[in-house]
Amino acid sequence: MMKFRFRRQGTDPQREKIKQELFAFNKTVEHGFPHQPSALAFDPKLELMAIGTKSGAIKVYGCPGVEFTGLHADTTAVTQIHFLPGQGRLLSLLDDNTIHLWELVAGAPREVGGVKREGVVCLEEVDCYSLPGRPGIESCSATRVTVLLLMRSSELLCVGTEGGAVYFLELPRLSLKENQTLLQDQITQSLPDDYRCGKSLGPVESLQEHPQHAGKLLIGYSRGLVVLWESTTRHAEQLFLGKQQLESLVWERSGNLFVSSHNDGGYSVWAVASGNNVIHQPVSSSIPYGPFPCKAINKILWRTTQAGSPVVLYSGGMPRASYGDRHCLTIQQDKEHVTLDFTSRVIDFFTVHCVDQDKEFDEPSALVVLLEEELVAMDLRTPGWPSLPTPYLAPLHSSAITCSFHVSSVPPKLWERLASAGRAQQGRQPAHGSWPICGGKNLAPPPKNQELLLTGHEDGTVRFWDASGVALTPLYKLSTANVFHTDCDPSDDPQDPSDDPDMQQEEEWPPFRKVGCFDPYSDDPRLGIQKISLCKYSNKLVVAGTAGQVIVLGLSDERSAHPVDVSVVDLLQDREGFTWKGHDRLEPRLKPASFPPGFQPLALVQCVPPASVTAVALHAEWNLISFGTSHGFGLFDYHRRNAVLARCTLHPNDSLAMEGPLSRVKSLKKSLRQSFRRIRKSRVSGKKRPVTTPTSKVQEANAALAEQEDMAPIQRRIEPRSADDSLSGVVRCLCFADTFLRDGTHHGATLWAGTNSGSVYAYALEVPGVGSGRACERGGGEGSVCVEAVLGKEIQLMHRAPVVSICVLDGRGKPLPDPYEASQDLAIAPDMTNAHSVLIASEEQLKVFSLPKVSAKTKFKLTAHEGCRVRRVALVAFGSAAQEDYCEHTLVCLTNLGDMHLFSIPGLRPQVRYDCIRKEDISGIASCVFTRNGQGFYLISPSEYERFSLSAKTLTEPLCSVKLDRLLEPTAASDSTTPPPPQANGTHKNQMGQAEGRTEESPCGLSSPILDTPLDSPLSCADLTLDSTGEITVEDVRDFLTTVDEAENNLKNIKEEEGRSTGILIN
């Protein structure tokens, strides 16, 4: 048979236009809690909150959906943030001693969902300032900024320094008013001699403006001195001679008192009375948790109430010896005293209270505490001060995330049942429990469909998140720990600690209350969730864990107490000579356990050996689940509670000691194959051996390049992997499909499994009432017939590359619909008249085989062409942004280099390529999950998901507006194009001073491949997401450690070995 090679055709303008209407890459929003927060601020007029991070990011939040993000040019920690109330401006102080001014500015009108949206604002840096040093007198550290104070007029900024000086900057120009600079020498001259005694006053620790008299400034120095400074007359009005190291200051609302907190764990109340210029002693002093040595009170707030007693809030102050390692914040009012006990460090806190000058009292309504790992809000108006649920900024990493799963277009009934179960978990809501940070207006249209993001965690929980919009909101939490006996089992201890008088005696002081949900500790690491699969139509959930446990759960609206059926599946099938040296399996609870409303366990399948589950598949219409580990895979009928199949995938070379003569046969085959390859290589290289001169070598290289340009793209030689790899038996993917496996006339249920060694197993399943095969011909009642599995085909990929995903395509080249979609007319029925095909994606290439013969139809060698390896694969339906009813199914591949490759199916023609994730971000690549409408999520930190979109039509992005006291200025950009948004954790190149409220990148230019020919355009929007959950594998680490020399050697190998065919064994 002759092979014809054609010169490549040019790009098709019509096809390029279609691709621009289908594909566009944008990083849209960051979900979760900011990584490593370092500063907090609140604007009481606009009701906006700002958080700064150690990576130089500033995130502004209002009501749910209102978000703005800014990123400084340098990745330097933000140490302080201050709002200019009501103006939409804020100041940031960085660790490099620079002060930055940010503004909310008007963005260009945007068309979203066919509706023109105006009034969209974005966050932009407008100015920067650094204090000049005093050459020859002070070192640079003397002008290092320690504290900022924005005066009430918002026209003056006071800057305290380590050298004890106070500088004044004019706003909003950030210009220094040199004639008003207050040096420490001016204060020292007015001090009594016995207090001065030659010692420095230390850095400026706190600056506070008088609440009633503008221009009066309270200056606190580290040594303990507090000065009431009159800025208009430039003299010290009063001196408060504190003797304990100062930490913070706060005014009482009337201005007659102020409170100072100190490093000995105490605070003092000072009276401001006219006529006495020097005050030696405070009105009162208290060490709340004394008399033993205590830690410093870092910050204190004093809020007055109409009820009489003020509300005192302070962080720290714990006894060093007994509770020095606790992270606490205390709330006191009269006899009420609560010590909030957190699991991470307190960064900062503020109260939401009345700021009107006409009002007499503060009347605090809420307390917001920024911790290192979460945000906590307390309701101060309700007796007992209960906590408020957060509508966003929830700590995704309350327990470490181990896997994720996305569900699109959730049915309304399932959504309501999940929300109801979540509300029942939260219990009774507080009386006044409204979220206090509610500024701005969300302009984004309401989501057309509800979306769920499921995250599996190390502590055995699965959390359900509302991922429909910009704010990722917790919906429901499922715990699997109560299915097993664990080391820290609460039900094993019937004694309630609250009933023990001795325990009450111990816990009486300090009055600790555990607050927050961040809990990095796991009772048992074997509980960790590794794989999740949810059927949204049957409300069936499969959760698989680290110790080989696979749990099938069903949704119930009522509390239930029942035992869980346990089935053990031996994947080794009594294979001799194998000893499991890992952890033991979890001990299931045999007695009936109580399960709250929500997902409740129906069956537990325990794999033996209890290795971590690496793949799982659910087909609720057939009542079947499949699961795989590093030893093999199994098939289980959870309706009849029986194991259908157990297949060991360990390679014979993994146990050479017990195989005997098999190893000799294997080595003979291997040596013959290598001999033929050597002969072939010598024939090719023999033609070029006589050429020795440098000139002829250059000519030959040029000729070879010209030939390659005309005939084939450059490819790298891919050496076959060794079959001796100890991880060759790992099951990487599983797939159910109703297709043709035995012959071309009878279709039926099938199960496909792919392993780490490039093996693919296809089983024909006989499910009662399914397909047109033998199961239906046998007759008999459904209850009397059990599911059977027969090996239909076994495929071995030549290079033994790990199989990443398997998907069956119907006669039109479209993915098969999900279970129940075709039977309930929720999707277009698959084409069963024409021949089906199967798409097998390995780490090195994509290949389509025809069914049932399993002959290769087309392929694309991604590693040979691009030098990368496939890590994640999904089939996505991309809708056109220009034509409402136009849709194409596309194969999306994420590689180990962090880029996205899009291919047409079934032709496997490359469409576009985008750089998405940094190649050094191994955990980000491993955690990526795709949605069925062209979006995706990946972890940019342990607590944050980056949301991105590959679709030009589907975007989930912040679109918000804020009503300010000033006129909004347009952005500096002259056209309507918007700059790329900064991402807080280094997933992009930093861009100075640009940030977006709608954090969307401008559409990237399409990176079209060399082959650009039209592809099939399926009309159906049904798709299948493959292998979305992920963990870091050995291959990920190997790729990261690949040396430069290996990469260069790969580039030199530009020849491809032809004539290799896929080995197929048909049983």
Side-chain angles (χ1 to χ4, degrees), residues 304-372:
T304 58
T305 62
Q306 193 171 2
S309 299
V311 179
V312 184
L313 311 99
Y314 53 88
S315 60
M318 288 291 104
R320 287 184 179 274
S322 52
Y323 302 110
D325 58 342
R326 298 283 187 100
H327 310 289
C328 298
L329 188 146
T330 302
I331 310 176
Q332 287 180 240
Q333 185 181 24
D334 200 9
K335 294 182 179 180
E336 292 188 69
H337 188 128
V338 173
T339 306
L340 304 179
D341 188 11
F342 305 108
T343 54
S344 57
R345 184 169 58 93
V346 177
I347 303 297
D348 201 354
F349 62 95
F350 64 84
T351 58
V352 180
H353 60 276
C354 178
V355 293
D356 294 341
Q357 291 294 319
D358 302 335
K359 302 294 183 180
E360 185 179 354
F361 301 100
D362 293 316
E363 295 296 342
S365 60
L367 165 69
V368 178
V369 187
L370 175 64
L371 305 168
E372 199 169 32

Side-chain angles (χ1 to χ4, degrees), residues 441-454:
K441 183 180 179 181
N442 184 12
L443 300 179
K448 297 180 180 178
N449 298 303
Q450 304 288 355
E451 297 184 16
L452 276 177
L453 179 65
L454 281 66

Side-chain angles (χ1 to χ4, degrees), residues 199-457:
K199 292 182 180 179
S200 170
L201 298 179
V204 178
E205 288 292 341
S206 183
L207 294 171
Q208 298 291 332
E209 186 181 13
H210 197 288
Q212 303 298 331
H213 302 285
K216 287 188 178 182
L217 192 64
L218 203 62
I219 306 172
Y221 295 92
S222 177
R223 182 178 159 189
L225 174 69
V226 180
V227 179
L228 183 59
W229 178 260
E230 175 59 67
S231 59
T232 55
T233 59
R234 293 188 54 79
H235 78 281
E237 188 172 296
Q238 279 184 305
L239 300 175
F240 304 88
L241 306 182
K243 295 181 174 59
Q244 192 64 38
Q245 183 174 326
L246 183 70
E247 293 291 333
S248 70
L249 296 172
V250 62
W251 279 105
E252 190 259 348
R253 188 179 183 94
S254 66
N256 298 325
L257 300 172
F258 72 87
V259 184
S260 61
S261 67
H262 304 277
N263 75 331
D264 64 345
Y267 64 88
S268 301
V269 179
W270 301 80
V272 180
S274 58
N276 190 1
N277 294 335
V278 179
I279 299 176
H280 294 269
Q281 295 295 333
V283 175
S284 64
S285 294
S286 172
I287 302 180
Y289 300 107
F292 299 105
C294 296
K295 300 191 73 174
I297 293 181
N298 303 310
K299 180 179 178 178
I300 188 168
L301 296 179
W302 185 285
R303 301 296 182 226
T304 58
T305 62
Q306 193 171 2
S309 299
V311 179
V312 184
L313 311 99
Y314 53 88
S315 60
M318 288 291 104
R320 287 184 179 274
S322 52
Y323 302 110
D325 58 342
R326 298 283 187 100
H327 310 289
C328 298
L329 188 146
T330 302
I331 310 176
Q332 287 180 240
Q333 185 181 24
D334 200 9
K335 294 182 179 180
E336 292 188 69
H337 188 128
V338 173
T339 306
L340 304 179
D341 188 11
F342 305 108
T343 54
S344 57
R345 184 169 58 93
V346 177
I347 303 297
D348 201 354
F349 62 95
F350 64 84
T351 58
V352 180
H353 60 276
C354 178
V355 293
D356 294 341
Q357 291 294 319
D358 302 335
K359 302 294 183 180
E360 185 179 354
F361 301 100
D362 293 316
E363 295 296 342
S365 60
L367 165 69
V368 178
V369 187
L370 175 64
L371 305 168
E372 199 169 32
E373 303 292 352
E374 61 182 320
L375 185 78
V376 173
M378 310 297 294
D379 185 0
L380 298 181
R381 291 180 295 181
T382 304
W385 302 319
S387 58
L388 291 170
T390 56
Y392 47 79
L393 290 178
L396 303 176
H397 64 317
S398 51
S399 176
I401 296 175
T402 51
C403 63
S404 55
F405 185 83
H406 186 271
V407 183
S408 300
S409 302
V410 180
K413 188 174 181 180
L414 170 60
W415 186 270
E416 180 53 38
R417 295 177 70 183
L418 285 173
S420 176
R423 288 191 295 268
Q425 288 178 339
Q426 294 177 2
R428 185 177 60 86
Q429 293 295 323
H432 303 281
S434 59
W435 183 242
I437 304 161
C438 51
K441 183 180 179 181
N442 184 12
L443 300 179
K448 297 180 180 178
N449 298 303
Q450 304 288 355
E451 297 184 16
L452 276 177
L453 179 65
L454 281 66
T455 54
H457 297 266

Side-chain angles (χ1 to χ4, degrees), residues 490 493-507:
D493 185 12
Q495 179 68 33
D496 188 357
S498 61
D499 297 336
D500 189 356
D502 295 334
M503 189 67 70
Q504 287 183 344
Q505 188 80 15
E506 292 179 8
E507 293 184 351

Side-chain angles (χ1 to χ4, degrees), residues 464-522:
F464 292 66
W465 305 90
D466 179 1
S468 310
V470 172
L472 193 67
T473 307
L475 198 65
Y476 165 71
K477 183 177 82 169
L478 165 70
S479 176
T480 61
N482 54 355
V483 181
F484 306 97
H485 289 288
T486 59
D487 296 336
C488 300
D489 197 341
S491 62
D492 290 344
D493 185 12
Q495 179 68 33
D496 188 357
S498 61
D499 297 336
D500 189 356
D502 295 334
M503 189 67 70
Q504 287 183 344
Q505 188 80 15
E506 292 179 8
E507 293 184 351
E508 187 176 358
W509 189 261
F512 288 120
R513 183 201 295 176
K514 286 283 186 183
V515 179
C517 58
F518 176 72
D519 185 10
Y521 307 106
S522 174

Side-chain angles (χ1 to χ4, degrees), residues 725-885:
D725 191 352
S726 60
L727 299 176
S728 61
V730 176
V731 178
R732 294 289 294 270
C733 59
L734 293 163
C735 171
F736 287 106
D738 183 2
T739 187
F740 302 92
L741 188 61
R742 286 196 175 98
D743 53 58
T745 57
H746 298 90
H747 65 87
T750 60
L751 170 66
W752 300 74
T755 71
N756 222 31
S757 60
S759 299
V760 177
Y761 304 93
Y763 280 83
L765 308 180
E766 295 186 354
V767 181
V770 177
S772 58
R774 302 174 187 175
C776 295
E777 296 172 358
R778 290 180 180 179
E782 183 178 338
S784 62
V785 181
C786 295
V787 179
E788 296 181 7
V790 180
L791 181 62
K793 290 179 172 54
E794 183 176 335
I795 306 171
Q796 178 61 58
L797 302 182
M798 185 61 66
H799 288 297
R800 300 185 178 276
V803 180
V804 178
S805 73
I806 303 171
C807 177
V808 175
L809 308 176
D810 69 1
R812 295 187 294 265
K814 302 174 185 177
L816 297 180
D818 285 346
Y820 288 108
E821 283 190 339
S823 60
Q824 297 183 7
D825 296 329
L826 300 171
I828 299 177
D831 183 359
M832 291 296 184
T833 57
N834 297 315
H836 286 196
S837 55
V838 59
L839 169 62
I840 299 177
S842 72
E843 283 192 355
E844 296 176 359
Q845 68 178 0
L846 312 171
K847 204 162 189 177
V848 177
F849 297 90
S850 63
L851 291 177
K853 293 183 178 180
V854 195
S855 57
K857 293 176 63 177
T858 181
K859 64 181 178 181
F860 186 87
K861 297 184 177 181
L862 193 65
T863 304
H865 285 281
E866 305 292 341
C868 55
R869 293 185 176 181
V870 178
R871 283 288 173 262
R872 292 283 171 268
V873 172
L875 289 174
V876 179
F878 286 94
S880 173
Q883 305 177 40
E884 187 65 30
D885 57 346

